[in-house]
Amino acid sequence: MSSIQANNRSIELSHEDKLLFPDDGITKRHLAEYYRDIAETMLPHLRDRAITMQRLPDGIDGKTFYHKDAPDYFPEWIRTSELKKEGGTVNHVIADDAATLVYLANQACITPHTWLSRVDEPDQPDLLVFDLDPSGGDFKGLRRAAMMTRELFDEAGLAPFVKTTGSRGLHVVSPLRRGPDFDEVRQLARDLAEILVGRDPELFTTEQRKNKRGNRIFLDTLRNAWGQTVTPPYAVRPKPGAPVATPLEWDEVDADDISQRHTLKSIFRRLSQKDCPWKDIRRHARSIKSARDFTAGH
């Protein structure tokens, strides 16, 4: 059994040669090394947020399960936070350092999904998220949807940021000043989504049933709720090629193949050429008051 050093800790790897991405030759050790090396850039987007672990012990061709409660065998140095759920509580992992990310990778946690709030005020989200989910492979439509969402956020007094999900869609995100609870933020997201549907009903839909969406972009605002999670920046997705959820500059949304362009193997080349576009995202946090006033006028 070998180990990886992170934060002056030695994390032992079990079955380090286990192929998690068989067609790409990516092993559990490769995943652990990735999370160790990306930690400095990724941790600001994880710190103080509860995690749901997406684990695939047999790799991306095997079964997936979502693990919320930190097992008893996790070491004491891994930070956790006990948060309420219906009928009880869940002891969530908090990833505040590279060692924790490496340890989770050794548990075959390919994607650590995070809450939209921080654990000191878990009922007050500091992010508003629109998940733009295309029904087909029309990236031109997805690009137009992202740009229209950006324009609407600007009109509403919110600060729009964009990233790939590592899957087919894009996330348009606005950092928020804390205070309003999830019910208030979720209602704001719904109201903004309905404005977009009204502006272009042939492009957008809020219809949850897939067979009712046609070829439209689904405006998924359901993540703006207690206990829901989002794929954070630089998380690896369990898909062929090991794509990475990647913050973008807005002019990069023009690229046709942007959705899964950046991967575990290529992201460091990108970061060597430019800073993370979300590096200062918290400085742009806005109150939702002006956005509520904006939606009330529509």
Side-chain angles (χ1 to χ4, degrees):
M1 186 177 293
S2 63
S3 62
I4 287 182
Q5 299 294 316
N7 300 115
N8 297 317
R9 298 189 185 277
S10 181
I11 297 95
E12 292 188 345
L13 300 182
S14 59
H15 309 291
E16 65 173 340
D17 294 328
K18 174 70 179 180
L19 281 171
L20 299 181
F21 297 80
D23 292 343
D24 304 289
I26 296 173
T27 65
K28 187 192 286 189
R29 170 169 277 277
H30 291 137
L31 182 70
E33 289 175 340
Y34 167 78
Y35 276 120
R36 176 198 62 195
D37 295 342
I38 201 68
E40 182 179 355
T41 304
M42 184 180 187
L43 285 173
H45 308 292
L46 299 179
R47 196 164 283 123
D48 297 326
R49 298 186 190 275
I51 283 175
T52 294
M53 299 169 279
Q54 185 179 4
R55 298 175 63 183
L56 295 93
D58 297 317
I60 66 170
D61 295 332
K63 292 183 179 180
T64 297
F65 68 99
Y66 292 86
H67 200 162
K68 295 183 179 181
D69 217 352
D72 291 340
Y73 62 80
F74 273 29
E76 292 183 359
W77 55 263
I78 288 185
R79 183 184 169 199
T80 60
S81 181
E82 191 171 338
L83 299 175
K84 66 182 180 181
K85 68 170 184 177
E86 187 174 349
T89 60
V90 175
N91 197 33
H92 286 272
V93 170
I94 313 296
D96 284 343
D97 56 27
T100 300
L101 287 177
V102 171
Y103 187 89
L104 295 184
N106 188 52
Q107 302 299 308
C109 172
I110 291 179
T111 311
H113 299 268
T114 53
W115 279 39
L116 302 184
S117 60
R118 288 175 275 162
V119 293
D120 61 331
E121 295 287 356
D123 59 342
Q124 297 180 17
D126 62 358
L127 294 170
L128 183 150
V129 177
F130 272 32
D131 185 355
L132 307 184
D133 185 6
S135 299
D138 177 16
F139 193 81
K140 289 183 178 179
L142 181 62
R143 179 191 307 139
R144 186 157 62 92
M147 292 305 183
M148 288 184 66
T149 305
R150 177 194 187 187
E151 180 180 351
L152 178 66
F153 277 31
D154 280 334
E155 291 176 37
L158 299 172
F161 288 77
V162 64
K163 70 177 176 68
T164 70
T165 64
S167 185
R168 298 184 309 161
L170 294 171
H171 283 166
V172 179
V173 175
S174 178
L176 304 178
R177 293 177 188 163
R178 295 194 294 180
D181 63 17
F182 273 103
D183 288 343
E184 294 176 87
V185 173
R186 182 172 67 247
Q187 187 59 57
L188 173 62
R190 288 172 176 168
D191 292 342
L192 290 168
E194 290 303 327
I195 291 173
L196 282 173
V197 172
R199 289 181 175 182
D200 195 336
E202 294 186 359
L203 177 63
F204 293 108
T205 182
T206 55
E207 176 58 64
Q208 294 185 34
R209 291 169 294 183
K210 289 184 178 181
N211 63 348
K212 298 288 187 179
R213 296 178 193 169
N215 292 321
R216 294 173 292 177
I217 304 292
F218 175 46
L219 288 169
D220 184 356
T221 61
L222 301 175
R223 300 174 188 276
N224 300 284
W226 172 273
Q228 297 299 305
T229 60
V230 67
T231 305
Y234 304 105
V236 180
R237 303 306 305 277
K239 296 180 177 296
V244 169
T246 307
L248 303 175
E249 303 284 1
W250 276 103
D251 60 8
E252 293 181 290
V253 177
D254 286 337
D256 286 335
D257 62 344
I258 198 65
S259 295
Q260 297 186 27
R261 172 187 292 182
H262 304 297
T263 70
L264 176 151
K265 293 182 177 180
S266 70
I267 191 67
F268 293 105
R269 182 169 64 250
R270 170 181 172 81
L271 290 172
S272 71
Q273 297 168 350
K274 65 186 307 173
D275 284 341
C276 172
W278 286 24
K279 182 178 180 180
D280 298 319
I281 187 172
R282 295 299 337 150
R283 291 178 51 227
H284 298 274
R286 306 283 175 82
S287 165
I288 69 168
K289 183 181 183 305
S290 63
R292 284 187 302 202
D293 293 343
F294 173 82
T295 58
H298 287 69

